[in-house]
Amino acid sequence: MRPVRLLALPLLAGLVIGALVWLPVRLLEGLLPPTLRCAQLVGSLWQGQCVGLSVRGSRSGELRWVVRMPQLADAALPIDVLWSSGSSRLEGRLAVTTDARARFDVIQARISLQEVRDALPADISLGALAGVAGELQTTDLTLQLTGGQLVGVRGEVRLLGTRLLRSAAELGDFAAEFRDTRGTVRDLGGPLQLRGEVQLDSGRYVVQARAEPRSAGMRQVLAIPTHVDIEVEGRL
């Protein structure tokens, strides 16, 4: 009986891998949660594509993935992910474990704020960023998730070339640096001084910052006598 069992293990593993490689991903469309939809699913579970991605009614672009073979010493299943929408692009690797934990490493990302507004669900508030144009850029950013909920972030995100949508007035460049559940935001020089903090807690986020124009002309453009305190909170 023991040789039969030894033969059964690689056979079972081969069947599982074969299902991942050849099973059309569109067969699992009915298993997607109601908040997540794809206009068209293409490819297999192993290597597929979601065209017309929608998260809670948003227009979230296109998602491609490729499942990689895990290392023998690593219990996580690695999945290479490429998201794109218009001129925006995000490339990263998702590692999923059997205990409902996941880690997403952003390799590189260049995302316009307009694409962010289109991609995010309507119930996620952007606060002051709703009236600003610019581009988010990051490399080497890590997101930690538990049960699909964001619980920690490490790395830096930069917002470059920002300007007001209503007047095209330039605001400068900004950066946010994260260490697990806390982060800081600051300006990188330019006409608007910005200092603040970010806090994550059980899938919720709170941003508290103070913006202060560095010139009388910018105070007039923004209609700010001296400074303005900004507070944004919501759920991811």
Side-chain angles (χ1 to χ4, degrees):
M1 293 294 294
R2 184 171 294 177
V4 174
R5 291 180 180 177
L6 292 176
L7 288 173
L9 290 176
L11 179 60
L12 179 60
L15 289 174
V16 172
I17 293 174
L20 287 172
V21 173
W22 298 109
L23 185 65
V25 69
R26 65 177 181 274
L27 296 181
L28 300 183
E29 186 173 7
L31 300 179
L32 293 177
T35 56
L36 180 63
R37 285 290 177 260
C38 292
Q40 184 180 11
L41 283 168
V42 182
S44 67
L45 291 179
W46 193 270
Q47 182 172 344
Q49 176 183 359
C50 169
V51 180
L53 174 64
S54 175
V55 181
R56 300 203 294 271
S58 67
R59 297 176 296 163
S60 301
E62 179 179 301
L63 184 68
R64 297 173 181 262
W65 67 88
V66 178
V67 180
R68 302 296 182 186
M69 291 298 295
Q71 301 294 324
L72 293 177
D74 192 355
L77 180 67
I79 306 172
D80 289 346
V81 176
L82 175 62
W83 171 85
S84 61
S85 180
S87 61
S88 298
R89 181 184 178 94
L90 181 148
E91 181 181 354
R93 171 164 288 190
L94 177 67
V96 183
T97 62
T98 56
D99 59 355
R101 296 179 181 272
R103 166 177 169 158
F104 186 69
D105 294 316
V106 179
I107 299 171
Q108 60 179 349
R110 297 173 63 96
I111 308 172
S112 75
L113 282 183
Q114 181 58 56
E115 298 296 346
V116 172
R117 284 187 282 270
D118 290 340
L120 290 179
D123 58 348
I124 295 183
S125 172
L126 289 177
L129 290 180
V132 175
E135 183 177 77
L136 289 168
Q137 294 186 14
T138 185
T139 58
D140 195 25
L141 183 74
T142 298
L143 311 180
Q144 298 283 354
L145 302 100
T146 299
Q149 188 174 86
L150 183 65
V151 295
V153 183
R154 293 188 69 87
E156 185 181 72
V157 179
R158 294 198 169 196
L159 178 58
L160 305 178
T162 61
R163 66 184 187 279
L164 288 176
L165 289 174
R166 69 173 187 268
S167 65
E170 295 183 358
L171 300 176
D173 299 333
F174 305 91
E177 186 174 358
F178 298 94
R179 291 290 180 268
D180 298 322
T181 60
R182 293 184 177 275
T184 59
V185 294
R186 70 187 192 281
D187 67 276
L188 299 176
L192 185 66
Q193 180 180 347
L194 181 71
R195 292 291 185 272
E197 296 182 348
V198 183
Q199 184 172 353
L200 299 174
D201 183 16
S202 302
R204 297 191 63 84
Y205 65 91
V206 178
V207 182
Q208 294 178 321
R210 171 167 289 190
E212 184 175 351
R214 285 193 167 99
S215 68
M218 181 54 62
R219 284 195 292 270
Q220 184 176 3
V221 168
L222 297 178
I224 299 175
T226 55
H227 66 268
V228 61
D229 292 323
I230 302 169
E231 182 169 342
V232 181
E233 60 179 297
R235 179 175 294 276
L236 296 169

